[in-house]
């Protein structure tokens, strides 16, 4: 048999045997137009410009990012912004001299109120019509700061965005978002306040006003909605829901503030408080019960009359209320249980296996304290 010859195995290669080429960039054609945009050699500069993601304004925006808050008019977004800004400054997270609050949607009296509140903290208040500032000039000023590398640690609050960019224009919204992106890439921070539409979406959630370009290109976004209140009509509670996050933004939080007549803006500012999540859940449960009140009453009447089967109760309810049978069944299920604070009736199995619904003796009606009559 013929013997086969195999090649010698490759010898091991040590680090000393490797001959390194010149730096990678040197192998490129020096005439390549992309070379002038290369970040090789800019690491130290970028590290200096890059901002640590420090939570600002109750962790509802992050330093070095662009964030937008959407809400209907008069929900309290400006009030809560200023309250949280004051808290942030008192904690020493940022310096007041870094903050520029642009009040572009206010009266002269309103601007004066904001100035009286913010000036002691060294915050810069800007307003179109004062010192020759025009809202249309802001993008140009931001571009100049970017070009001249004077952004620094600036925190810019725009109240409201529509005064600086036509949000219904896709082209102009996209152009403004591009300026905002360059601004935060230079180390700045932007918070824009904007509006939602009057109507809700098919899912019952707020619809942001304008095109989606601002939200698409910004780093974070929230909608702010008012929660229905029954027990305390002297306070309004609003909830922030995160709809976009690049970083560790809080996902949901609620704040309350006074709506009593005759209080000053400074007193309103002092009244803002963080709402405990359990209290928010209770508010939502009460609101649901109020919305379902007519159907709840019809179900309770049916059970009290001796109608105990689910389908029979649903049939009786549809004849008394303008509601379909499936919707009636959902409400029957929604309030079935053993907790009087949440449920209205329970399902039992009696003698000889007879099944049916019975009312809870101590069920608490919406808006009532325990022990009160419905």
């Amino acid at each position: 048999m013929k013997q086969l010859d195999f090649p010698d195995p490759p010898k091991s290669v040590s680090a000393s045997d490797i001959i390194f080429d010149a730096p990678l960039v040197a192998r490129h054609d020096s005439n390549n137009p992309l070379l002038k945009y290369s970040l090789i050699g800019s690491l130290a500069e970028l590290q200096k410009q890059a901002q640590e993601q420090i939570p600002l304004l109750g962790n509802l925006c992050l330093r070095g990012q662009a964030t937008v808050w959407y809400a209907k008019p008069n929900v309290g977004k400006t009030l809560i912004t200023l309250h949280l800004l004051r808290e942030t400054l008192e904690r020493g997270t940022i310096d007041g001299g870094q903050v520029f609050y642009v009040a572009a949607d206010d009266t002269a009296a309103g601007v004066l109120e904001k100035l009286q509140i913010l000036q002691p903290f060294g915050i810069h208040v800007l307003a179109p019509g004062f010192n020759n500032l025009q809202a249309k000039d802001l993008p140009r000023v931001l571009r100049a700061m970017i070009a001249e590398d004077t952004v620094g640690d600036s925190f810019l609050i725009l109240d409201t965005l529509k005064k600086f960019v036509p949000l219904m224009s896709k082209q102009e919204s996209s152009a403004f978002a591009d300026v905002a992106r360059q601004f935060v890439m230079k180390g700045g921070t932007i918070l824009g306040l904007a509006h939602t539409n009057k109507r809700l979406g098919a899912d019952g959630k707020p619809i942001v006003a304008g095109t989606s370009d601002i939200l698409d290109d910004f780093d974070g976004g929230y909608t702010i909605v008012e929660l229905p209140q029954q027990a305390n009509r002297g306070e309004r509670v609003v909830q922030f829901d995160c709809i976009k996050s690049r970083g560790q933004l809080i996902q949901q939080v609620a704040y309350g503030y006074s709506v009593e007549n005759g209080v000053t803006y400074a007193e309103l500012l002092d009244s803002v408080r963080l709402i405990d999540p359990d209290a928010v859940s209770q508010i939502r449960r009460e609101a649901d019960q109020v919305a379902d009140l007519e159907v709840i009453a019809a179900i309770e009447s049916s059970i009290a009359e001796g109608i105990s089967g689910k389908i029979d109760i649903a049939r009786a309810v549809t004849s008394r209320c303008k509601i379909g049978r499936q919707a009636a069944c959902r409400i029957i299920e929604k309030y079935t249980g053993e907790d009087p604070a949440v449920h209205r009736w329970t399902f039992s199995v009696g003698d000889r296996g007879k099944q049916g619904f019975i009312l809870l003796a101590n069920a608490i009606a919406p808006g009532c304290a325990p022990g009160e009559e419905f």
Side-chain angles (χ1 to χ4, degrees):
M1 179 181 295
K2 183 178 180 181
Q3 186 174 359
L4 298 177
D5 293 327
F6 293 96
D8 294 333
K11 69 174 183 177
S12 60
V13 179
S14 66
S16 61
D17 296 324
I18 300 175
I19 300 176
F20 289 97
D21 291 330
L24 182 62
V25 68
R27 295 207 301 265
H28 288 294
D29 182 355
S30 60
N31 294 322
N32 190 325
L34 293 176
L35 286 179
K36 66 180 180 180
Y37 303 114
S38 173
L39 295 178
I40 288 180
S42 303
L43 182 60
E45 181 183 353
L46 286 175
Q47 288 174 330
K48 182 180 178 180
Q49 291 179 359
Q51 291 283 357
E52 182 183 355
Q53 290 189 347
I54 298 173
L56 301 175
L57 307 189
N59 206 3
L60 290 165
C61 69
L62 298 175
R63 189 168 186 171
Q65 290 195 355
T67 307
V68 57
W69 295 355
Y70 294 96
K72 290 182 179 179
N74 302 316
V75 165
K77 56 184 179 296
T78 299
L79 180 72
I80 294 172
T81 299
L82 298 184
H83 170 81
L84 295 177
L85 178 59
R86 189 170 65 177
E87 281 190 342
T88 299
L89 291 166
E90 288 173 346
R91 286 196 301 268
T93 307
I94 56 175
D95 181 81
Q98 300 171 349
V99 183
F100 296 82
Y101 173 75
V102 190
D105 196 20
D106 216 335
T107 63
V111 173
L112 175 61
E113 282 181 328
K114 309 301 189 300
L115 184 59
Q116 290 172 331
I117 292 167
L118 299 178
Q119 183 171 276
F121 294 94
I123 295 173
H124 303 281
V125 177
L126 287 66
F130 293 87
N131 293 334
N132 298 318
L133 175 65
Q134 299 296 323
K136 65 180 182 180
D137 294 333
L138 185 70
R140 176 182 56 78
V141 174
L142 297 185
R143 290 190 187 95
M145 293 175 68
I146 295 163
E148 297 165 7
D149 201 17
T150 56
V151 174
D153 297 327
S154 300
F155 181 14
L156 184 63
I157 301 175
L158 305 177
D159 190 3
T160 60
L161 267 179
K162 70 176 183 180
K163 296 296 183 179
F164 306 100
V165 55
L167 297 176
M168 294 303 295
S169 168
K170 185 174 182 64
Q171 181 177 358
E172 294 190 62
S173 293
S174 180
F176 184 85
D178 181 61
V179 174
R181 171 60 48 211
Q182 295 179 54
F183 186 85
V184 300
M185 288 293 288
K186 285 288 189 177
T189 304
I190 292 179
L191 172 64
L193 306 184
H195 291 143
T196 57
N197 291 339
K198 293 180 179 180
R199 62 182 179 85
L200 299 176
D203 57 359
K205 296 181 179 180
I207 301 173
V208 302
T211 70
S212 65
D213 294 88
I214 293 294
L215 183 60
D216 289 345
D217 293 342
F218 273 35
D219 301 294
Y222 287 88
T223 56
I224 310 171
V225 295
E226 180 180 356
L227 300 182
Q229 282 266 80
Q230 295 298 317
N232 187 357
R233 297 183 181 275
E235 183 180 51
R236 176 176 291 150
V237 175
V238 299
Q239 180 170 290
F240 287 72
D241 290 295
C242 186
I243 56 176
K244 183 176 182 181
S245 173
R246 290 175 180 162
Q248 300 300 316
L249 289 174
I250 192 169
Q251 292 301 299
Q252 190 177 77
V253 68
Y255 291 91
Y257 60 91
S258 173
V259 289
E260 298 286 350
N261 293 326
V263 297
T264 66
Y265 196 83
E267 290 171 331
L268 282 178
L269 202 62
D270 290 336
S271 75
V272 177
R273 68 185 184 97
L274 181 67
I275 304 295
D276 184 86
D278 291 338
V280 174
S281 298
Q282 178 63 25
I283 290 170
R284 287 197 172 278
R285 283 196 298 269
E286 290 183 0
D288 285 346
Q289 288 194 13
V290 169
D292 298 335
L293 203 54
E294 181 185 6
V295 180
I296 290 173
I299 294 171
E300 289 180 329
S301 296
S302 300
I303 296 173
E305 292 168 8
I307 304 174
S308 60
K310 180 178 179 180
I311 299 302
D312 294 332
I313 295 172
R315 186 180 296 114
V317 169
T318 57
S319 66
R320 302 179 188 188
C321 306
K322 294 180 180 180
I323 188 174
R325 190 172 300 179
Q326 287 186 342
C329 287
R330 283 196 297 270
I331 293 180
I332 292 172
E333 295 168 358
K334 182 177 180 180
Y335 296 103
T336 299
E338 302 291 339
D339 184 354
V342 179
H343 305 121
R344 308 292 303 165
W345 44 77
T346 188
F347 187 80
S348 69
V349 180
D351 295 338
R352 299 179 182 178
K354 183 179 180 180
Q355 300 178 349
F357 287 85
I358 58 173
L359 298 175
L360 289 178
N362 299 317
I364 301 173
C368 296
E372 291 182 338
E373 294 294 330
F374 174 46

